[in-house]
């Protein structure tokens, strides 16, 4: 299904599929980035407000539920596998990529379902994970603050006492994640938020995997940021 025009987005019926995924023609130009959902787009009982971040595998939006409470919506949309242009459907760049996209979508959904079991102040809270049409979205706590990476670049290194407090928070977060039989797989300054009030919040489990099954949450054999990976990985 095609997305509505942004000017008509507020009239989109709740539950509208995020996208129909089709193979792309070989001659179709390859845009640099995927088009984000427009402001006002209705996704189940959430209204998209605006994009707040994007990575290689997803786009994150600020949205509001039907009571007006803000949340973060994470949409699985890997730019290396599928393309979405303005006013068009999501298309896979090849049949092989379409298969990889669908497998990754399944893993992304399982990631959200697994994280929804964790309720800890130092781990981003996941409310639900839903497959809508041929796409997956995860609704999460909207953490107000900055990443550790941003804070260090803007303000310089943390003091010894601040570093100790952040380290304690992260140890608690990792213990909670491991208690749910999950591994994060990519703990780094860009994946840790310093929320308003000071708590550290562990985010972005895209490189993680299930300890019980050994399966990667996003289906990749090896995932993570190379400079942070253990040499044996």
């Amino acid at each position: 299904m095609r997305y509505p025009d942004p000017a008509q987005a507020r009239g989109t019926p709740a539950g509208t599929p995020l996208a129909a995924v089709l193979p792309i023609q070989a001659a179709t130009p390859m845009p640099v980035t995927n088009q984000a959902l427009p402001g006002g787009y209705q996704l189940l009982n959430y209204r998209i407000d605006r994009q707040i971040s994007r990575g290689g595998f997803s786009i994150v939006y600020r949205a509001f539920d039907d009571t007006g409470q803000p949340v973060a919506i994470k949409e699985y949309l890997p730019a290396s596998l599928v393309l979405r242009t303005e006013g068009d459907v999501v298309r896979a760049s090849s049949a092989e990529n379409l298969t990889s996209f669908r497998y990754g979508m399944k893993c992304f959904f399982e990631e959200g379902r697994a994280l929804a079991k964790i309720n800890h102040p130092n781990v981003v809270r996941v409310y639900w994970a839903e497959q809508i049409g041929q796409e997956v979205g995860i609704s999460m706590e909207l953490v107000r603050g900055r990443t550790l990476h941003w804070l260090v670049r803007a303000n310089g290194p943390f003091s010894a006492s601040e570093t100790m407090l952040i380290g304690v928070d992260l140890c608690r977060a990792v213990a909670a994640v491991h208690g749910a039989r999950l591994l994060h797989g990519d703990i780094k300054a860009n994946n840790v938020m310093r929320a308003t009030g000071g708590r550290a919040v562990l985010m972005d489990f895209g490189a993680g995997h299930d300890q019980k099954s050994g399966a990667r949450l996003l289906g990749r054999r090896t995932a993570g940021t190379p400079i942070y990976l253990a040499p044996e990985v």
Side-chain angles (χ1 to χ4, degrees):
M1 178 173 180
R2 295 179 182 275
Y3 287 121
D5 183 86
Q8 302 174 344
R10 292 184 181 275
T12 307
T16 300
L18 283 179
V21 183
L22 302 174
I24 196 168
Q25 299 297 322
T28 301
M30 302 286 282
V32 176
T33 59
N34 278 309
Q35 179 74 18
L37 295 175
Y41 187 88
Q42 192 71 29
L43 180 62
L44 297 179
N45 62 323
Y46 295 95
R47 178 177 57 82
I48 299 295
D49 178 41
R50 61 181 175 85
Q51 175 187 316
I52 55 178
S53 70
R54 70 164 65 218
F57 286 85
S58 62
I59 301 177
V60 181
Y61 308 89
R62 185 176 72 169
F64 295 93
D65 66 16
D66 49 13
T67 69
Q69 292 298 310
V71 298
I73 301 289
K74 186 176 183 181
E75 177 193 16
Y76 177 65
L77 198 67
S80 62
L81 300 178
V82 294
L83 304 172
R84 179 170 64 206
T85 58
E86 186 175 4
D88 208 348
V89 295
V90 172
R91 297 178 181 272
S93 53
S94 69
E96 181 180 359
N97 283 350
L98 178 59
T99 300
S100 298
F101 172 75
R102 288 174 173 166
Y103 179 68
M105 182 175 65
K106 172 180 176 291
C107 295
F108 188 84
F109 176 72
E110 291 173 354
E111 170 198 351
R113 293 291 297 270
L115 292 175
K117 299 174 183 178
I118 302 175
N119 187 3
H120 191 280
N122 300 121
V123 180
V124 64
R125 186 79 174 96
V126 171
Y127 302 126
W128 59 249
E130 290 289 342
Q131 182 170 343
I132 306 160
Q134 297 191 63
E135 281 271 21
V136 172
I138 295 177
S139 171
M140 304 179 293
E141 167 192 12
L142 182 62
V143 179
R144 301 184 184 279
R146 299 285 189 178
T147 66
L148 298 187
H149 177 80
W150 188 95
L151 291 170
V152 169
R153 286 179 64 90
N155 305 322
F158 292 108
S159 67
S161 59
E162 286 181 304
T163 302
M164 180 183 67
L165 292 173
I166 292 169
V168 169
D169 278 355
L170 287 178
C171 286
R172 290 170 176 162
V174 170
V177 172
H178 290 184
R181 302 303 300 268
L182 297 172
L183 297 176
H184 186 281
D186 195 23
I187 297 176
K188 60 182 181 180
N190 261 328
N191 288 340
V192 180
M193 293 280 288
R194 189 85 182 275
T196 302
R199 68 185 170 110
V201 183
L202 186 59
M203 317 277 287
D204 197 349
F205 284 71
H209 67 273
D210 188 319
Q211 291 189 67
K212 188 180 298 184
S213 66
R216 290 284 179 184
L217 292 178
L218 287 188
R220 290 167 282 170
R221 183 171 299 175
T222 300
T225 306
I227 194 171
Y228 293 95
L229 288 174
E232 61 271 19
V233 176

